[in-house]
Amino acid sequence: MKYLPLILANIVRRNRLRNSLTILVVALAILLISLLIGIQAAFTSASEVSDAARLVTRNKVSLVFPLPLSYGAKISALPGVQTVAGGNWFQGVYMRPENFFARFAVQAERFLAMYPEYRMSAAERDAFLRDRGACAIGKSTADRFGLKVGDQIQLKGDIYPGLWDFTIRAIYTVDQDAYDDTQMFFHWEYLSERIAQDAVGFFMVQVRDPEQAGDIAKTIDALFENATAQTRTETEKAFSLSFATMMGNVQLLLMVIGAAVFLAMSMVAINTTMMSAQERTSELGIQRALGFTAGTVGALVLVESETIALLGAALGFAMTLGLESGLKSALASFAPTFHVPLWAYAMGLLIAIGIGAVSGGVPAVRAARLRPVDALHAL
Amino acid sequence: MGIVEARGLSKDYYRAKTRVPVLHGVDLNVSEGEFVALMGPSGSGKSTLLNLMAGLDEATSGTLSVAGADLGSMSERARTKWRTRNIGLIFQLYNLIPVLNAVRNVELPLLLTGLGRKERRQRAELALDIVGLGDRKDHYPNELSGGQEQRVAIARALVTDPRILLADEPTGDLDRATSEEILGILALLNDKHGKTIVMVTHDAAAARRAGRRLMLESGRVVLQESSA
C-alpha cells in the first residue's frame, strides 16, 4: 500500500492521454470479447437447455418438406411416447422484414404441456387455447414492439401467402436467459384450415423416460422407413445443434474477426504500456540507486501495468453492462437469447490480467535486471 | 579507522571486449565527519570511485570498506539494502521523480524502511525544512528552479539520516549564486549535522568548501591537500 501513491502518480500524472487511451483500448478489447462470448452462447444456448425427454421428428430429406399429420397419431401410439405436438415454421413479416422474431404454428395445448419453461398465467393460457385466432408471444417481443394482451397483430405471409390476423391472448416469460422469449406461437389448426393442408413441418415428441429417447427415435424412423415421407428423429438438443451448425460459418467468421480485432487491441495496449516503462529506464535506475531492490522495482512496474489493465477491464465491464440490454434488442432477430454470461466477465478479468502481465512483464524483468550504475551512466 | 577505507582499489571496464582500466590501486581514507572533494579531469575515475563507495558498482580488485561494511564481500542485494541505511546520493541532474511532488520525492527512500506513513511524512518535511524548502513541499519538480530541485534532492539524500553523503557534481548544472547556496547547505550538513561528505567536482571554487581535496588523474590519486 505504501507504494500506491507512486503507482497512481505514474498512471495519473504521466502521459495522461496515452494511459487513458491504453485503458480505453483494454476496455474495448474486454467489451469485444464479452460480446463475442455472449453471441457464441446465444447460438448454443438452445441446445444447452434442451429437454432430454423431447425429440424432434422431421422429414428425412429436409426440414422444408412436410410430414403427414397422420404420423402424429402413429407416433403417439408407440410405447414410451407421452405427448406429440405437430408444428410448422411460419416465418412471415410483421410490419417490416427487420422486425424478425421466430413464428410457429403449433398444436397448442399439447405443445404448451411439453414446454413448461414458457410461463404464462392460467387465465392467459386458457384464453389462448380457446381462441383459434389467438397467439402467444414472448415478453421480449412484447416489450420490443410495445404489444400487450388483447392487441391485434397482422403478419404478411411469405411461405404461406396472404395477410394473417392474430389476437394476442398470452405473453409468456422465461426464467433463464438461455430460453428464448422472443417467439410467437399460434394454433396450427388456424394455419391448416386456411391452407387446407393436413401436413406439419415437424413433430415434437415427449417421451416418458429420457434414457429411452434414443431407442424411441430409432423406432419412429423405422416406423416410416417404407413410407413416402421418411422421417428423421433426433433429440431436441441435436436438432438445436444442427441449427447452430447451419449458423456455423457466420459464427466462425464472427469469432475470427473478433479474435483478430481483440488481438490487435491487446497488442496496442501491450505496446504502449511497454513503451511507457521503457521511457523511464533512467528513473528506474535512480530508484535502484536510492535503494529499491531489483525485485521491488520490477514489481512496481508490473503492478502499474496490471493496474492500467484492470482499470481497462473495469471500464470494459461497465460498457458491457451498459450495452447489453440495448444489444439484446438489436440482436433479437439474430441471436434472440443473447446475454453476456457471468463467466465472460471472469474470462475478461483473466484476459486483462494477462494483458497486464505481458505488457508489464518484459519491462519489469528489464527493470529488475537494470544495474543502477548503467542507468546513471545513461543519464 | 576511517568511515571510508580503500586499499589498492582498481576498476576496469570492458568496451567491446577491450579492457579499459579506470582506477589503478587507489588508496584512500576518509574520516567520519570529513568533507572531501574529489577533483580531476574527465575520465580520471572520480565518478567511478564515488560509485564504488556507494556500492553501485564492484571493484575489480582491492578492498573497500565504507561505514564498516566490506563492500567487496557483499552481494548486490545486500549492498542495495546497506546503501538505503548508510548512503545519501546527490546527482548532478537532481534526478527527481517528475510525477511526485517535493515531499513525496523526499519520502521515496523512506518507503524502503519500516516507518509508518505519518513518520515518513514528518521526516520528509523536516528534511525539506533543513534545506529551506519547507514552503515548497507540494510543488512538483517542473514548478521548481534548478537550485530548488537540487535542494529537494539533498533533502532526499539526507532523509534516511545516512552516515555519508556522496555528491556527484552537485553544482555542475547550476549558476554560481545557486551553486554557493547548495555548497552552503552541504557545508551546514557537514558542520552542524556531522555528515561525512564526499563530493565529486570539476569546480575549484566548490572544492575549496571541502576540508580536503583529492586530485585524481588517470585513475590514481596524485595530490591531496587540506584546507588550513
Side-chain angles (χ1 to χ4, degrees):
Chain A
M1 282 300 286
K2 61 185 177 182
Y3 297 112
L4 194 61
L6 177 61
I7 292 165
L8 291 180
N10 276 326
I11 295 170
V12 175
R13 292 193 63 86
R14 195 190 300 273
N15 294 321
R16 275 182 207 169
L17 180 63
R18 182 163 69 187
N19 284 337
S20 302
L21 289 174
T22 307
I23 288 169
L24 187 61
V25 166
V26 174
L28 288 173
I30 298 298
L31 172 68
L32 179 69
I33 203 76
S34 302
L35 297 184
L36 281 175
I37 289 171
I39 290 171
Q40 170 72 16
F43 278 130
T44 55
S45 63
S47 66
E48 283 163 12
V49 296
S50 300
D51 190 330
R54 290 196 293 247
L55 300 172
V56 182
T57 299
R58 58 184 169 98
N59 192 299
K60 190 177 182 180
V61 178
S62 166
L63 196 57
V64 174
F65 295 98
L67 293 171
L69 183 65
S70 59
Y71 280 19
K74 291 175 182 169
I75 296 169
S76 293
L78 291 173
V81 172
Q82 186 172 321
T83 315
V84 177
N88 281 78
W89 168 248
F90 181 79
Q91 197 162 294
V93 172
Y94 175 57
M95 294 193 291
R96 289 185 297 276
E98 58 267 32
N99 293 342
F100 178 83
F101 49 92
R103 296 145 199 148
F104 294 96
V106 293
Q107 291 180 311
E109 186 162 10
R110 280 177 272 168
F111 180 82
L112 289 182
M114 291 169 70
Y115 282 89
E117 56 264 41
Y118 299 141
R119 296 178 176 189
M120 58 186 76
S121 70
E124 289 185 10
R125 185 176 186 280
D126 288 346
F128 170 51
L129 292 178
R130 274 200 308 270
D131 180 355
R132 190 162 281 204
C135 69
I137 60 172
K139 186 173 184 307
S140 286
T141 294
D143 292 345
R144 183 180 170 197
F145 299 107
L147 298 171
K148 58 186 186 302
V149 170
D151 285 354
Q152 300 284 324
I153 62 170
Q154 187 179 65
L155 300 182
K156 185 181 179 187
D158 38 25
I159 299 173
Y160 306 101
L163 295 174
W164 299 74
D165 293 307
F166 302 92
T167 305
I168 299 170
R169 294 295 182 198
I171 293 175
Y172 73 87
T173 59
V174 294
D175 60 359
Q176 283 186 39
D177 287 336
Y179 292 131
D180 185 355
D181 66 347
T182 67
Q183 301 169 96
M184 168 185 171
F185 302 109
F186 62 92
H187 293 276
W188 176 83
E189 292 77 5
Y190 180 55
L191 173 72
S192 171
E193 281 168 12
R194 188 150 159 191
I195 62 174
Q197 272 187 20
D198 272 347
V200 297
F202 56 84
F203 287 104
M204 301 304 302
V205 181
Q206 186 160 39
V207 300
R208 287 192 179 85
D209 179 2
E211 291 193 0
Q212 300 294 316
D215 291 339
I216 292 173
K218 286 178 189 164
T219 306
I220 293 170
D221 291 344
L223 185 62
F224 303 108
E225 198 170 20
N226 297 317
T228 312
Q230 294 178 335
T231 61
R232 178 174 173 185
T233 304
E234 55 200 343
T235 61
E236 188 182 33
K237 180 170 187 169
F239 181 73
S240 299
L241 277 175
S242 69
F243 268 106
T245 307
M246 282 161 67
M247 293 292 284
N249 289 338
V250 179
Q251 271 190 78
L252 183 66
L253 190 66
L254 264 178
M255 297 309 279
V256 167
I257 293 171
V261 175
F262 168 75
L263 273 177
M265 286 177 166
S266 300
M267 291 298 164
V268 168
I270 289 168
N271 185 41
T272 47
T273 311
M274 282 175 74
M275 273 171 58
S276 174
Q278 187 76 17
E279 285 169 4
R280 276 186 286 143
T281 301
S282 57
E283 254 181 65
L284 300 175
I286 296 300
Q287 287 179 14
R288 295 277 287 114
L290 291 178
F292 283 67
T293 61
T296 304
V297 170
L300 285 173
V301 170
L302 190 59
V303 170
E304 186 183 317
S305 169
E306 287 289 3
T307 305
I308 287 175
L310 291 175
L311 284 172
L315 181 61
F317 293 156
M319 290 161 75
T320 306
L321 285 169
L323 289 173
E324 190 179 351
S325 61
L327 278 169
K328 189 172 173 62
S329 300
L331 295 174
S333 58
F334 175 61
T337 59
F338 170 81
H339 76 288
V340 180
L342 201 57
W343 67 267
Y345 290 92
M347 177 164 275
L349 188 63
L350 286 176
I351 286 168
I353 290 170
I355 289 174
V358 174
S359 58
V362 175
V365 170
R366 280 186 188 154
R369 284 182 180 166
L370 194 64
R371 293 178 71 237
V373 71
D374 294 334
L376 292 173
H377 274 300
L379 288 171
Chain B
M1 187 175 172
I3 193 166
V4 178
E5 287 189 347
R7 295 286 171 268
L9 200 63
S10 295
K11 176 66 185 175
D12 300 338
Y13 286 116
Y14 284 86
R15 299 262 188 274
K17 296 185 181 174
T18 304
R19 189 172 74 94
V20 180
V22 180
L23 291 176
H24 301 278
V26 170
D27 292 327
L28 177 68
N29 196 62
V30 177
S31 301
E32 183 132 30
E34 256 197 301
F35 186 170
V36 176
L38 291 177
M39 300 183 69
S42 295
S44 60
K46 310 182 295 293
S47 293
T48 299
L49 183 56
L50 203 76
N51 288 340
L52 292 177
M53 286 185 209
L56 293 171
D57 208 352
E58 291 172 76
T60 307
S61 63
T63 61
L64 177 61
S65 166
V66 181
D70 176 10
L71 297 187
S73 65
M74 293 166 73
S75 67
E76 196 273 338
R77 184 179 169 81
R79 286 202 310 275
T80 302
K81 294 199 166 184
W82 164 86
R83 188 164 56 245
T84 311
R85 293 190 301 272
N86 293 283
I87 302 292
L89 284 168
I90 303 163
F91 308 97
Q92 179 179 350
L93 296 175
Y94 335 126
N95 295 330
L96 301 179
I97 306 294
V99 293
L100 298 179
N101 62 19
V103 74
R104 285 213 185 276
N105 260 291
V106 175
E107 202 182 329
L108 204 56
L110 295 178
L111 297 179
L112 305 165
T113 66
L115 295 176
R117 191 172 67 171
K118 193 175 170 187
E119 195 172 354
R120 289 199 307 266
R121 182 52 61 100
Q122 282 174 346
R123 284 203 188 189
E125 288 178 352
L126 178 63
L128 281 171
D129 284 338
I130 289 172
V131 299
L133 274 184
D135 58 338
R136 296 294 185 99
K137 64 178 182 175
D138 295 324
H139 288 230
Y140 285 85
N142 64 356
E143 298 166 343
L144 299 171
S145 68
Q148 288 168 334
E149 280 195 78
Q150 191 60 295
R151 283 199 267 172
V152 174
I154 293 171
R156 182 179 64 184
L158 64 90
V159 73
T160 54
D161 196 22
R163 293 175 69 184
I164 308 173
L165 292 177
L166 300 175
D168 194 352
E169 301 275 12
T171 59
D173 209 41
L174 301 173
D175 60 41
R176 173 54 54 201
T178 313
S179 295
E180 285 302 321
E181 279 179 27
I182 296 301
L183 291 166
I185 291 169
L186 291 177
L188 178 83
L189 293 172
N190 178 243
D191 289 342
K192 296 275 172 62
H193 298 271
K195 297 296 175 195
T196 304
I197 299 176
V198 179
M199 175 178 71
V200 166
T201 183
H202 275 100
D203 182 359
R208 278 196 291 277
R209 301 294 288 260
R212 185 154 60 106
R213 288 161 291 284
L214 301 178
M215 179 67 77
L216 269 79
E217 227 174 75
S218 300
R220 290 185 175 83
V221 179
V222 294
L223 182 69
Q224 291 200 41
E225 61 176 27
S226 301
S227 298

